[in-house]
Amino acid sequence: MKHIILLVLLLAFYPALANNDKISELKTKLETTHDAEEKVFLLCELSKLYWNSSFSSSLKYGNQAQVLARELNNQKALALAYNNIGVAYDIYGNYSEAVSYYYKSLRIREAIGDTAGLSASYNNIAIAFASQNELEKSIELYNKSLEISRATHDTIGIALSLSNIGSIYQQKKDYGQAISYVLRALQLLDPNSSVSLISMNSAGFIYSEMGEWEKSLSYHHRALNLARKVGSKMDEVHALCGLAEAYMAAKQPEMALPYAHRNVELAQEINSKNEVKIAAELLNKLYTQIGDFKNAHKYLTLQKEYADSVQAAAVKMQLTELAFKHENEKAMQENLLLKAQTNLQQQMIERRNAAQVFTGAMLLLVGVLAVVFFLGRRRMHRLNDLLTQKNIDILEHSEALAAQKEQLALQANLLLEQKEELEKLNSVKDKLFSVIAHDLKGPLTSLQGLLQLISKGAVPQDKLGPFMASLEASQQNSLWLLDNLLLWSRVQMRGLAVKPEKTELALLVEQNLRLLEPQAKFKQLHFTCQIADAHTLYADKEMVNLVLRNLIGNAIKFSKKGGEIQITSERHGGCVTISVKDTGIGMAPEKLASLFSGGSNSSSKGTADERGSGLGLQLCQYFIERNSGSIWAESETGQGSTFFFRLPAMPSQEDANEVMEAEAVELV
């Protein structure tokens, strides 16, 4: 699907949707102008504006332009007319006709030295070859176009050729080469121009196929905002599709659904049947992934309807072409017959004094010719009817085979998804039992032994205080371990819903410091807290609370007696960065590098032999990223560690007013 979208984007560098106002303006000029040179270029422009909306109209104006260009002997206009007719055939899938007209245009442009036109012709021929999977030939032609654009210092032409070459490497699945060419194209383009939309969406699709969905989201978001700004609905459709695919690749179907729904709505709004089919297919996969088979079936049905519609449109276009050719042949035959009748009448006038027998013979010959012509036409109609019926039978058979293939593919995908889900649940179960057996059982056993000593009176009264503090710390650690364990298992099995709200950072830090005070006193630790009251977050309060509790608890766990823990916050733009710094034992570089690498984190004992599950940092990373933030750490062995995390800040009233003013201007 990504290759199809990319090919459309390459063609969409030229006007994608006919602008009714522009068309009306050009038609008015065409009717009023008496300048034949101006008229031929008006016809070419009208043919171009109808590329994506009406194949017959585009072909009509293109043919009128080529006839007038021949009469004027205007080779540049004739090459442009051939090129426009070729693009019309290309968009509607008749690649053989498209390439034929492209080469006609190319030969003229080579003869007259039209360098800019040569670059466009090479690009168009390359697109047609790419559509037929002739990738090496396509790259060769794009490189020719690139050389011409560089020689003429045509920056946009250079960027277009680079982006096109990138798309071919994407089809070859050479993603390193593909993203390299597309990023070079983006460097040459104004990031706020509509031309850069092609390369932005191309980069997004390539990163998505590379598995780097965060970069894919970034490029598709930029493309979406720019497409809405310049009013390019087709590019907006591609950006929405890319965002939905990226979130689906990131296993976040709930984030993908809004974009996928807007994608199908907009595709229906602009009446792009192929895009509706692709959007419906994407929604079908999303709902299948989340187990909503009712909606999955709904969009599978929509996809089938539009697939049938696209196929019917292609058949209709082919029949229209056949009818057009048949009418031309019929007109030629009628002209020949008319000429023959005219010559015959002239001969009869010149030889009216000839013998009546000769005249009768000529009349009889004309009658025989008429009968033969009539019988021939009737036989031609029968053959055409037979050919049409054969085409219908072949089409029905192809549709039945396609439906069976899709059904088998769907069943295979369902089985694969079920297998992956079972393997994931089995892994969660193994991890859960491992943590319970090794990490939760130990603290509870120690706690039981301590309670037994106290109950038997084996602990003197003067030493009971420290034992109780140790008991409280052990109990608190066990509760956190159990809390982390349960949260981790919920996240692994079905995820947690994010509920962002205004979150008072200073209040949460103060609550956690009070909660952790017994452990801190036990190690004689000193806290330094520099959290500004104005630093409020827009995030899920409970998730932020758990992150703070785990990071401060880890700082206590790995601090030596008499150490210091600093908690600070800074605001940069629309985000707040919070740091938790300790003067504890620190970490080796290899341990630091593996903290947030996506693998499983192992548990380490604290300075007072405290134990953990190794799940705390995994939960912190998961919750921070779900709230559109980031987390990282700095550490050195023996010098302590500093953990940072960044989250969106609650917008101030001034920020809110600016956003409202910007939205009001955009609506105007």
Side-chain angles (χ1 to χ4, degrees):
M1 182 173 70
K2 299 178 182 62
H3 300 318
I4 296 172
I5 293 171
L6 185 56
L7 188 57
V8 174
L9 283 172
L10 297 175
L11 292 171
F13 172 74
Y14 300 99
L17 296 172
N19 184 298
N20 292 331
D21 294 335
K22 182 68 174 177
I23 289 173
S24 299
E25 179 185 347
L26 291 178
K27 285 183 177 179
T28 302
K29 285 184 179 180
L30 187 64
E31 292 171 358
T32 56
T33 186
H34 299 290
D35 185 347
E37 295 286 345
E38 182 184 12
K39 184 177 290 186
V40 70
F41 286 105
L42 287 172
L43 289 168
C44 287
E45 189 66 18
L46 281 167
S47 174
K48 189 186 335 183
L49 288 173
Y50 275 112
W51 276 346
N52 283 289
S53 62
S54 174
F55 169 77
S56 59
S57 296
S58 179
L59 205 59
K60 180 184 77 172
Y61 287 109
N63 284 325
Q64 290 179 8
Q66 69 164 315
V67 170
L68 183 55
R70 283 199 203 94
E71 292 176 0
L72 298 172
N73 196 26
N74 189 328
Q75 294 300 300
K76 187 172 184 178
L78 182 58
L80 182 59
Y82 282 148
N83 182 76
N84 288 354
I85 294 171
V87 173
Y89 276 115
D90 201 341
I91 293 173
Y92 281 85
N94 192 337
Y95 302 113
S96 60
E97 284 289 336
V99 172
S100 173
Y101 277 97
Y102 287 153
Y103 274 113
K104 288 181 182 179
S105 176
L106 179 64
R107 285 192 288 270
I108 295 173
R109 285 168 169 171
E110 286 175 340
I112 65 176
D114 181 6
T115 54
L118 277 173
S119 178
S121 291
Y122 283 133
N123 258 304
N124 290 340
I125 297 171
I127 290 170
F129 275 111
S131 302
Q132 299 302 302
N133 211 32
E134 295 281 345
L135 303 183
E136 298 300 329
K137 184 66 175 177
S138 181
I139 290 177
E140 177 185 345
L141 291 166
Y142 280 138
N143 280 320
K144 287 185 178 181
S145 174
L146 181 60
E147 291 174 4
I148 293 172
S149 297
R150 283 173 173 163
T152 57
H153 305 290
D154 180 7
T155 302
I156 292 179
I158 293 171
L160 178 62
S161 296
L162 290 171
S163 186
N164 289 349
I165 294 172
S167 74
I168 299 303
Y169 279 111
Q170 181 189 4
Q171 285 182 254
K172 296 176 73 174
K173 303 202 180 297
D174 187 349
Y175 300 121
Q177 287 275 46
I179 197 62
S180 173
Y181 277 98
V182 172
L183 292 180
R184 285 164 60 190
L186 276 171
Q187 289 175 352
L188 296 174
L189 297 171
D190 180 1
N192 295 316
S193 70
S194 59
V195 180
S196 64
L197 281 167
I198 300 170
S199 298
M200 284 184 189
N201 275 320
S202 295
F205 285 121
I206 294 169
Y207 274 127
S208 185
E209 292 188 31
M210 292 171 69
E212 296 186 37
W213 57 270
E214 292 179 330
K215 292 182 180 179
S216 175
L217 288 173
S218 174
Y219 279 100
H220 283 310
H221 272 302
R222 286 167 57 191
L224 178 62
N225 293 333
L226 182 56
R228 287 173 174 171
K229 180 179 178 181
V230 301
S232 177
K233 292 189 176 180
M234 184 62 77
D235 287 307
E236 184 178 348
V237 165
H238 297 143
L240 290 166
C241 180
L243 286 167
E245 284 189 358
Y247 277 118
M248 186 170 69
K251 305 298 182 184
Q252 297 183 30
E254 71 280 1
M255 298 293 292
L257 278 174
Y259 295 105
H261 278 292
R262 180 54 187 154
N263 181 24
V264 76
E265 291 169 3
L266 189 57
Q268 289 174 321
E269 181 181 330
I270 64 176
N271 197 27
S272 176
K273 294 181 175 60
N274 191 53
E275 293 298 331
V276 174
K277 178 177 77 69
I278 293 171
E281 180 182 2
L282 182 58
L283 275 166
N284 167 250
K285 290 180 180 178
L286 274 171
Y287 278 117
T288 301
Q289 189 179 54
I290 65 178
D292 187 348
F293 298 108
K294 181 178 180 181
N295 276 315
H297 181 265
K298 170 186 172 182
Y299 286 102
L300 179 62
T301 303
L302 182 64
Q303 174 196 347
K304 184 65 173 64
E305 290 175 0
Y306 275 88
D308 293 342
S309 178
V310 170
Q311 186 69 23
V315 172
K316 183 178 179 182
M317 187 269 287
Q318 292 175 358
L319 293 176
T320 301
E321 286 184 57
L322 290 172
F324 181 77
K325 291 180 180 179
H326 174 67
E327 289 299 323
N328 282 344
E329 292 173 359
K330 178 180 174 183
M332 290 175 63
Q333 290 176 352
E334 290 175 349
N335 286 337
L336 290 173
L337 180 59
L338 182 60
K339 289 180 180 179
Q341 290 174 343
T342 302
N343 291 334
L344 183 59
Q345 289 176 358
Q346 184 67 32
Q347 290 175 6
M348 290 176 65
I349 292 172
E350 293 175 352
R351 301 176 182 180
R352 57 189 171 188
N353 295 326
Q356 292 294 323
V357 176
F358 181 78
T359 302
M362 291 298 297
L363 290 173
L364 180 61
L365 178 60
V366 171
V368 170
L369 288 174
V371 170
V372 171
F373 178 72
F374 171 76
L375 292 175
R377 283 188 61 190
R378 189 166 66 177
R379 184 169 179 271
M380 187 184 298
H381 281 303
R382 286 201 301 270
L383 289 174
N384 284 338
D385 292 341
L386 182 61
L387 180 60
T388 302
Q389 185 59 44
K390 289 288 185 184
N391 286 336
I392 292 173
D393 293 342
I394 291 171
L395 179 61
E396 291 176 350
H397 185 63
S398 298
E399 289 175 349
L401 289 176
Q404 292 175 359
K405 181 180 178 182
E406 289 177 3
Q407 197 168 19
L408 290 172
L410 180 61
Q411 291 174 355
N413 288 335
L414 286 174
L415 289 173
L416 181 60
E417 290 172 3
Q418 290 172 357
K419 177 187 174 186
E420 291 175 350
E421 185 65 23
L422 287 173
E423 289 176 349
K424 179 181 177 183
L425 291 175
N426 193 48
S427 175
V428 172
K429 178 205 68 177
D430 293 343
K431 177 68 175 179
L432 191 63
F433 287 160
S434 174
V435 172
I436 291 173
H438 295 92
D439 297 323
L440 192 58
K441 182 180 177 181
L444 291 177
T445 303
S446 299
L447 183 61
Q448 182 186 23
L450 187 59
L451 288 172
Q452 287 176 350
L453 288 173
I454 294 172
S455 66
K456 291 178 180 179
V459 180
Q461 287 295 326
D462 57 339
K463 295 183 179 180
L464 187 59
F467 271 100
M468 292 304 292
S470 175
L471 176 61
E472 183 179 1
S474 177
Q475 184 244 11
Q476 186 64 60
N477 284 334
S478 298
L479 285 176
W480 289 345
L481 181 60
L482 182 59
D483 194 16
N484 283 345
L485 183 62
L486 293 175
L487 277 173
W488 175 81
S489 62
R490 285 181 61 195
V491 166
Q492 294 295 313
M493 291 182 178
R494 62 178 183 273
L496 293 175
V498 180
K499 299 176 182 177
E501 59 179 315
K502 180 179 180 181
T503 300
E504 300 288 349
L505 179 60
L507 182 59
L508 284 183
V509 172
E510 182 182 350
Q511 290 174 354
N512 279 281
L513 290 179
R514 286 202 303 266
L515 182 66
L516 296 165
E517 186 176 1
Q519 289 91 319
K521 282 185 177 180
F522 183 73
K523 286 191 172 183
Q524 300 174 6
L525 300 177
H526 175 66
F527 283 106
T528 301
C529 184
Q530 297 177 352
I531 304 293
D533 292 338
H535 290 173
T536 57
L537 306 176
Y538 183 67
D540 189 301
K541 183 182 295 184
E542 292 304 320
M543 291 185 179
V544 176
N545 191 37
L546 183 137
V547 171
L548 285 169
R549 190 175 70 204
N550 272 280
L551 294 183
I552 298 172
N554 279 348
I556 295 172
K557 176 180 176 182
F558 296 107
S559 289
K560 300 174 183 178
K561 278 194 175 183
E564 182 179 356
I565 297 175
Q566 296 179 2
I567 306 169
T568 61
S569 66
E570 293 182 1
R571 177 162 179 168
H572 301 282
C575 295
V576 176
T577 301
I578 301 96
S579 66
V580 180
K581 180 178 181 181
D582 64 67
T583 57
I585 60 177
M587 286 178 283
E590 58 273 14
K591 177 69 174 178
L592 180 63
S594 67
L595 281 182
F596 304 111
S597 62
S600 59
N601 293 324
S602 60
S603 173
S604 300
K605 289 186 178 182
T607 57
D609 205 28
E610 300 99 326
R611 296 180 63 88
S613 65
L615 302 177
L617 288 180
Q618 288 189 46
L619 287 171
C620 290
Q621 182 182 13
Y622 178 80
F623 288 158
I624 291 297
E625 291 177 352
R626 288 296 301 275
N627 283 273
S628 303
S630 57
I631 184 169
W632 69 98
E634 297 175 357
S635 184
E636 186 176 345
T637 305
Q639 300 299 317
S641 304
T642 305
F643 282 80
F644 303 87
F645 65 94
R646 181 179 294 124
L647 287 171
M650 187 69 186
S652 63
Q653 187 59 41
E654 293 180 0
D655 296 334
N657 292 337
E658 288 178 4
V659 172
M660 292 176 64
E661 289 175 4
E663 290 177 349
V665 170
E666 186 175 342
L667 288 172
V668 171

